Amino acid sequence: MTIAFLGTGLMGAPMVRRLAKAGHRVTVWNRTMAKAQALADVAIVAPDPVAAVKSNDVIITMLMDGPATRDLLQGQGVIAGCMPGSVIVNMGSVDPATDKALSLAAQARGLGYLDAPVSGGVVGADAGNLSIFVGGSPADASKVQHVFDALGRATLIGPVGSGQITKLANQLIVATTIGAVAEGLRLAEAAGCDPALVRDALKGGFADSKILDLHGARMVAGNFTPGGRSVAQLKDIDNALAVAAETGLDLPLSNQIAAGFRDFVANHGGGDLDHSAYYLWLTQRQKN
């Protein structure tokens, strides 16, 4: 299929390479042009987003948040510039209301629209084993199944917005588990145990998880090069709490973890560090 991929940052770049490897013709655009140019060996680099989407079957967006996605698709004329019958797939993590509004704008112009945020981080993007949470019509999802197959495992959840709700649930589980792993390892360290040995001992028991395995290793090594930035984690938690407030739901654990990430991002320079750096935040608080 012919694909326009808008947003070739931390996650987008390896996803483009997976799509190209699967045999799809990919045209790329990024606000910071150097990031798009870095993919010139596998993709066509467009000078602007409207030029990127012209004559392409599938338009994938992978941006930071809802305002950026709205501005690109509506403010910069991407929806208006799409070929009739093409399908827009928003794979960035945004608030569900954004995708619902954009889907109506797309449908008014005869376009398909799916929200399809992902989980798995840069490691999953590189390996092509992302979990993809899809919201939209079965017909639109079927049209882009080969695209999803190149990136990972897709599950159609329900109508537009359902994918984002699923991603928010995913992010709450990830964030609270990062917090639990960080606090458990920090407790062990403070009491005189080697946190690396404690992590190894916990593997295979009820406390085992991908978070303990992957992010626990980051915590022990002190390697907080971002695979998923803390500022993005906070954005997703805030979006989840906004949905909870709309439904009258109280989520005490999520409120606690949100407060921690908010302090880390706002007061301790943690925004661009990996979300596993919650462990670092615990150390910083102890020193204060």
Side-chain angles (χ1 to χ4, degrees), residues 9-10 27 38-39 44-45 52 93 97 103 105 112 115 129-130 134-135 140 142 182 195 218 223 226 240 243 247 273:
L10 201 63
T27 301
L39 296 164
I44 302 164
V45 180
S93 298
S103 71
D115 63 309
N129 60 11
L130 294 168
V134 185
D140 285 340
S142 179
R218 288 174 174 268
N223 175 18
V243 172
T247 60
L273 297 179

Side-chain angles (χ1 to χ4, degrees), residues 10 17 24 43-44 55 70 98 104 124 163 177 184 192-193 195 197 203 219 226 243 245 261 264 280:
L10 201 63
R17 293 192 176 277
H24 299 294
I44 302 164
S55 301
R70 284 178 185 258
T98 286
L104 294 176
T177 306
C193 295
L197 292 178
K203 292 169 75 171
M219 295 172 192
V243 172
F261 274 105
F264 184 44
L280 177 62

Side-chain angles (χ1 to χ4, degrees), residues 43-148:
I44 302 164
V45 180
D48 60 72
V50 175
V53 304
K54 185 179 180 181
S55 301
N56 280 303
D57 302 310
V58 180
I59 292 82
I60 297 175
T61 56
M62 192 66 175
L63 303 181
M64 172 64 181
D65 54 25
T69 305
R70 284 178 185 258
D71 176 65
L72 179 68
L73 291 182
Q74 291 185 300
Q76 298 185 50
V78 166
I79 287 177
C82 287
M83 179 175 64
S86 58
V87 180
I88 297 173
V89 185
N90 179 25
M91 303 192 80
S93 298
V94 309
D95 56 290
T98 286
D99 276 319
K100 291 177 182 178
L102 290 173
S103 71
L104 294 176
Q107 290 162 14
R109 295 192 63 86
L111 308 174
Y113 192 98
L114 299 168
D115 63 309
V118 303
S119 180
V122 174
V123 172
D126 280 329
N129 60 11
L130 294 168
S131 294
I132 307 168
F133 315 124
V134 185
S137 74
D140 285 340
S142 179
K143 286 181 182 179
V144 301
Q145 185 60 51
H146 290 306
V147 174
F148 290 148

